[in-house]
Amino acid sequence: MADKIIKFKNVKKTYSAELKRKKTALTSLSLEVEKGEVFGIIGPNGAGKSTTLKILLGLVLHDSGEVSLNNHDPATPASHQHIGYLPESPCLYPNLSLIDHLKFAGKVARYPKKLINTRIDELLHLVNMTQAAKTAIGKYSKGMTQRAALAYALFHKPEIAILDEPMSGMDPIGRKLIIDIILEYNRMGNTVLFCSHILTDVQRICNRIGVMHKGRLATTLNSSQLSSELELEDIFLSTATK
Amino acid sequence: MRGKYLQEKYTRIGNAPSPLLQAMSLEFQGTVADFLMLKTISYMGHSVTVNSSPSKEDWQAMFRALDLITDLDPRFWDPYVFAETMLAWQAGMFDEAAILLAKAVLARPDDYRPNYFLGFNSFYFQGDPAKAAPYLREAATRSNAPSYIQALATRMSVYGSQTMAAIILLEELVADTYDPLAKKQLSIRLETLKMLFSLEQALAKYRKDSGNFPDSLSKLVTSGYIKTLPEDPYGGEFVLLANGRVYSTSNLLRTK
Amino acid sequence: MNTIFAIASLTYKEGLKHRVLFGVLVAALFLMTGALLISGFFMRDIVKVLIDFCLSVTNLGGLLVPFFLTIGMLTGDRDKRTIVTILSQNVSRTQYILGKYFGLSLLTATIMCILAMATYFTLLGGSLLYGEYYFKSLSLYSVATSIVLSYVGISILNGVVFLWCTLTTTSFLATLLTIATYIIGHSIDDVVRFVESPPPGVTVATSIVKAVQIFQYVFPNLAAFDHKLTAAHGLAIPLIDSALLCGYGVSYIAFSLALSVIIFSKRDLC
């Protein structure tokens, strides 16, 4: 049996927003991702997908249950050296350039200076951003920002890539580039946790797919068992309307 | 209309309670004091332009402003000089000048000038050498005090010394002043006092030689004690009083 | 430490790219030139007026960091989610807070250094324009000490801003609390003096006296770091006083940041 690199066991999370009623994001999430697989998470809005990712990144603290990321507590910064995160709306500093961000990632990952520069060149070539590397992020198009954020997420060669809607807003060329990078990344033995509303991408890229609804994992499917995209859509809709 | 606005705004600032202004100035008390001083100088200039001489209310407004300025920055020298040259010398507001100079004595313990000004006002304007002497003795103890001050303290009753003390005070003020207009005004005053002093010297010599003061100042010319009668730069006339003192009809110099 | 320096460097670079910063520096340089001309209206204390003005501008330049940049960058990080950019790396929340603080402190130091240089050249210009006679009381050592102490005072305010930003959820509230801290910090001495010895005819309720006495110890005494008048009059600021103030400043900053880290560690971030 493959190692479980990500584990959620009966995890609960309720947000207590000021002056508002409490909102339960995760009622009881139990989920496991195996090492080396591409695991897709789908679900309607409000299902708890974002909260799941935020808990993995340590941005949000779960109320109860157990969470493990490569056998580390995700709230500890040490666990972050194993993950690379691409958010749904990339949040790089608009006044700084991609090179500034990549240099930062290199310093934090304790890379020697020479190696930082080598790695920067590699990544710029990988995401096709060599020309725009010194331009401020704020001047990038949506697609350029997405590629820049992916390069930043993968700088330190993390074992786990957490990608939230990585193809959102991209043109077909950009989408192909991202998909190729994800697949190559996975072929190198790394794990990918992938959230998307584009079911064709999910079915194409993922080994297994988890369908979340109302703060829990409603069902888990093997991609190989799905006969068509329509079947995945049916499962999604039937789960979402329960 | 602008003049009226300036006056109303200025007098309103002067009515602000000092602790409130200090608290509102936060860490910028020095700069607020500087701006208030600038306003006071402009207000003085404006009053002189409009009325040729500030009114009693104008002087009171300026005193209140100087009081605020010296509460904000007690070591700021300009307001004390303004108090001495304007409030005391020009407006005759010796009590008000004394209130301000008393603050300078405490805030500038290394400076002889506040005590010197207080002493000067006492003997020169108020004719009270007994009151002046302790101030002058105190001034003499300061490290930057000129050597003649100690001697002055013991000679307050001699009239000639009083004019000389005024000359010395003005010489220092003129040397110390940057503003060209203020410098010119003080220089005119200094010249007038020097004329007065030379007349007094000539009168003293006449009296020593003949046993009496002459009937008029023109007698000094005819007797050869002075070449010619000086002209009062303030437009008045020098007149000899019965007790041998010289008086200017322009009344811009306070002599007794 | 490397991580903290990396965050500090990123924060510093980000701060330098703020257009408002350059606008402010240009405005400040114009103001100092104006000071050179205005000081000529004064009769004697030209150097005092010039130093008052230049040190006030230097202070205002430094204060822009806590009031605008610190609050803007911290709440901006949270609202625009750029905090994720940092925390998704191998960076702890403690390192984030400390790195951000040092970056913003460095930014404050840079602004105040530039304005300090402008002060030096303004004073040089003044002595050439008005003559050395009016600059006899000038003590560059006192001016420099005053700027350093002002910097420590502003650094304390920066530390408190971090605390407010971790406690509140909006930049508006953080700004209000910072303004309140600044005003209390600069007027607490006067208020304490007033309530403990009110003028004749004025009575102060015991509850107010107690509240003011508590405020005195809870809020930072920023007025203690204001030595502009001392420098303006060319008086020496004793080294022991400066050392004690710096010690107080460092302790208060450490306390503010420690409290910020504790609160920040327990907060949900986005």
Side-chain angles (χ1 to χ4, degrees):
Chain A
M1 189 129 93
D3 287 339
K4 309 295 179 197
I5 202 165
I6 295 174
K7 279 186 263 189
F8 278 74
K9 191 176 175 187
N10 301 325
V11 172
K12 290 191 172 86
K13 174 63 189 175
T14 303
Y15 290 108
S16 40
E18 292 143 15
L19 305 175
K20 292 180 191 169
R21 273 181 305 168
K22 291 188 179 183
K23 185 194 162 198
T24 302
L26 298 177
T27 49
S28 181
L29 177 67
S30 291
L31 178 155
E32 283 176 351
V33 177
E34 288 167 11
K35 191 172 177 181
E37 74 168 341
V38 181
F39 190 92
I41 298 180
I42 59 174
N45 294 333
K49 303 188 298 296
S50 300
T51 303
T52 306
L53 300 186
K54 286 175 195 172
I55 289 174
L56 274 176
L57 288 158
L59 297 173
V60 148
L61 303 168
H62 56 285
D63 298 332
S64 63
E66 289 165 28
V67 184
S68 150
L69 179 72
N70 204 15
N71 297 316
H72 287 99
D73 176 358
T76 60
S79 65
H80 296 173
Q81 63 191 316
H82 304 290
I83 56 173
Y85 174 56
L86 176 62
E88 182 179 356
S89 307
C91 28
L92 302 174
Y93 288 97
N95 291 329
L96 299 176
S97 67
L98 177 55
I99 287 196
D100 289 330
H101 285 86
L102 294 177
K103 278 186 178 164
F104 170 73
K107 284 179 198 169
V108 163
R110 315 271 162 97
Y111 274 43
K113 202 170 179 182
K114 250 188 186 167
L115 200 55
I116 291 177
N117 292 332
T118 312
R119 184 69 181 137
I120 288 174
D121 290 337
E122 261 175 44
L123 284 165
L124 291 176
H125 181 73
L126 179 72
V127 296
N128 200 15
M129 288 290 289
T130 312
Q131 300 292 337
K134 289 184 183 170
T135 311
I137 301 278
K139 294 185 179 162
Y140 285 2
S141 65
K142 168 80 175 146
M144 287 167 79
T145 310
Q146 202 80 352
R147 282 182 279 142
L150 183 64
Y152 178 76
L154 299 179
F155 185 97
H156 53 294
K157 299 181 184 175
E159 295 151 49
I160 308 163
I162 300 173
L163 312 174
D164 194 355
E165 303 286 353
M167 272 80 81
S168 120
M170 297 199 75
D171 62 24
I173 299 169
R175 281 163 50 81
K176 184 182 184 307
L177 179 65
I178 302 286
I179 291 169
D180 288 345
I181 291 172
I182 294 171
L183 292 173
E184 178 55 34
Y185 181 77
N186 178 242
R187 267 195 287 275
M188 285 157 58
N190 299 306
T191 310
V192 179
L193 184 63
F194 179 72
C195 284
S196 183
H197 286 304
I198 306 171
L199 299 180
T200 38
D201 291 340
V202 174
Q203 188 167 354
R204 187 181 154 194
I205 299 169
C206 300
N207 305 120
R208 287 195 302 143
I209 301 162
V211 185
M212 283 187 71
H213 182 52
K214 289 186 181 173
R216 57 178 70 236
L217 191 66
T219 185
T220 312
L221 315 155
N222 277 325
S223 294
S224 55
Q225 291 168 336
L226 293 166
S227 56
S228 72
E229 175 200 323
L230 286 174
E231 191 182 339
L232 180 60
E233 196 177 317
D234 289 337
I235 295 168
F236 178 96
L237 287 170
S238 68
T239 309
T241 49
K242 272 184 194 161
Chain B
M1 195 118 105
R2 190 183 177 275
K4 193 181 170 203
Y5 173 72
L6 177 72
Q7 182 180 25
E8 280 180 6
K9 200 169 160 211
Y10 183 74
T11 48
R12 254 185 284 133
I13 292 170
N15 288 330
S18 180
L20 180 66
L21 190 61
Q22 285 180 65
M24 280 169 60
S25 304
L26 296 171
E27 57 172 318
F28 301 105
Q29 293 188 2
T31 315
V32 172
D34 298 339
F35 274 114
L36 265 181
M37 190 64 212
L38 202 56
K39 269 202 172 317
T40 305
I41 295 168
S42 328
Y43 189 75
M44 176 72 189
H46 169 78
S47 302
V48 165
T49 310
V50 169
N51 301 317
S52 80
S53 172
S55 66
K56 201 173 165 191
E57 289 77 24
D58 289 337
W59 284 121
Q60 275 300 321
M62 283 188 269
F63 165 65
R64 284 196 299 273
L66 291 173
D67 201 21
L68 284 176
I69 294 165
T70 49
D71 278 345
L72 287 167
D73 185 359
R75 226 186 131 83
F76 190 8
W77 184 234
D78 274 34
Y80 298 119
V81 172
F82 193 94
E84 177 62 17
T85 56
M86 298 292 154
L87 289 186
W89 208 305
Q90 203 107 316
M93 293 166 69
F94 307 113
D95 293 337
E96 287 84 350
I99 289 169
L100 296 171
L101 288 167
K103 286 195 218 173
V105 168
L106 293 171
R108 299 179 70 94
D110 49 317
D111 194 349
Y112 79 94
R113 293 173 294 182
N115 277 303
Y116 184 69
F117 286 179
L118 282 164
F120 179 83
N121 292 347
S122 297
F123 73 73
Y124 193 80
F125 295 123
Q126 295 173 301
D128 191 347
K131 190 178 167 192
Y135 286 128
L136 292 171
R137 278 197 293 272
E138 194 55 42
T141 62
R142 301 294 187 264
S143 57
N144 66 341
S147 51
Y148 53 77
I149 292 185
Q150 184 62 49
L152 264 178
T154 57
R155 296 184 63 207
M156 281 302 96
S157 53
V158 177
Y159 174 66
S161 300
Q162 293 171 21
T163 309
M164 178 49 78
I167 290 170
I168 291 163
L169 182 138
L170 279 169
E171 274 177 343
E172 223 212 53
L173 285 174
V174 167
D176 213 27
T177 301
Y178 173 77
D179 176 55
L181 191 63
K183 207 175 181 94
K184 188 181 170 189
Q185 286 169 347
L186 288 168
S187 299
I188 293 171
R189 196 170 284 177
L190 177 62
E191 277 317 300
T192 314
L193 273 171
K194 281 182 175 171
M195 286 175 199
L196 213 64
F197 187 69
S198 65
L199 285 172
E200 286 165 2
Q201 297 274 72
L203 281 167
K205 202 158 182 247
Y206 186 98
R207 192 191 181 194
K208 193 181 171 191
D209 291 344
S210 64
N212 290 306
F213 285 117
D215 301 327
S216 68
L217 287 173
S218 50
K219 199 71 185 283
L220 290 172
V221 179
T222 51
S223 309
Y225 282 89
I226 53 173
K227 281 194 187 128
T228 173
L229 264 182
E231 275 179 36
D232 181 2
Y234 289 101
E237 205 185 303
F238 291 121
V239 166
L240 178 61
L241 300 175
N243 59 3
R245 305 287 290 269
V246 180
Y247 168 76
S248 167
T249 57
S250 65
N251 207 25
L252 278 163
L253 287 175
R254 298 185 176 277
T255 58
K256 281 193 179 170
Chain C
M1 278 312 263
N2 278 337
T3 307
I4 294 173
F5 284 139
I7 298 168
S9 170
L10 197 76
T11 308
Y12 183 73
K13 274 187 213 166
E14 201 209 338
L16 283 181
K17 305 238 166 133
H18 265 263
R19 260 171 285 162
V20 67
L21 207 72
F22 290 107
V24 158
L25 286 174
V26 169
L29 291 170
F30 271 118
L31 279 170
M32 282 182 174
T33 312
L36 207 53
L37 300 169
I38 288 173
S39 58
F41 286 113
F42 291 84
M43 295 183 279
R44 270 153 215 88
D45 255 337
I46 292 172
V47 69
K48 175 230 120 59
V49 170
L50 212 46
I51 295 174
D52 271 340
F53 213 77
C54 289
L55 290 183
S56 296
V57 169
T58 305
N59 238 57
L60 284 171
L63 282 171
L64 284 167
V65 174
F67 281 110
F68 295 105
L69 286 178
T70 304
I71 294 175
M73 285 164 88
L74 289 179
T75 55
D77 262 6
R78 194 179 50 212
D79 299 340
K80 294 175 201 161
R81 313 263 167 118
T82 40
I83 196 172
V84 174
T85 304
I86 298 183
L87 291 180
S88 62
Q89 300 288 329
N90 184 8
V91 172
S92 69
R93 294 193 185 196
T94 305
Q95 287 168 328
Y96 170 79
I97 293 281
L98 293 179
K100 277 278 174 192
Y101 180 79
F102 287 125
L104 287 159
S105 286
L106 198 58
L107 212 50
T108 311
T110 304
I111 293 170
M112 290 183 83
C113 273
I114 292 172
L115 293 172
M117 291 296 293
T119 298
Y120 173 73
F121 285 114
T122 306
L123 290 171
L124 196 63
S127 71
L128 289 170
L129 197 60
Y130 300 116
E132 292 266 354
Y133 179 81
Y134 296 100
F135 285 73
K136 277 188 291 200
S137 66
L138 171 64
S139 164
L140 285 175
Y141 173 74
S142 291
V143 172
T145 310
S146 166
I147 292 175
V148 167
L149 290 174
S150 292
Y151 168 71
V152 176
I154 292 170
S155 299
I156 294 176
L157 193 62
N158 254 335
V160 176
V161 171
F162 270 72
L163 186 58
W164 297 140
C165 286
T166 52
L167 277 172
T168 63
T169 51
T170 63
S171 60
F172 176 71
L173 207 51
T175 308
L176 280 182
L177 288 166
T178 306
I179 291 171
T181 307
Y182 176 74
I183 291 173
I184 292 171
H186 276 288
S187 52
I188 194 67
D189 270 353
D190 295 327
V191 173
V192 165
R193 237 176 275 128
F194 182 84
V195 300
E196 287 181 345
S197 323
V202 177
T203 32
V204 183
T206 321
S207 55
I208 293 177
V209 177
K210 285 258 175 321
V212 167
Q213 284 169 341
I214 291 169
F215 268 31
Q216 186 186 20
Y217 292 108
V218 166
F219 283 86
N221 186 354
L222 299 175
F225 293 87
D226 175 24
H227 286 265
K228 289 195 276 299
L229 276 179
T230 315
H233 290 295
L235 299 170
I237 302 163
L239 201 58
I240 184 80
D241 287 359
S242 303
L244 280 169
L245 283 169
C246 289
Y248 169 75
V250 167
S251 308
Y252 203 98
I253 291 165
F255 176 74
S256 304
L257 291 179
L259 211 54
S260 304
V261 164
I262 291 169
I263 296 165
F264 191 60
S265 303
K266 299 194 186 326
R267 286 201 77 153
D268 290 336
L269 290 178
C270 1

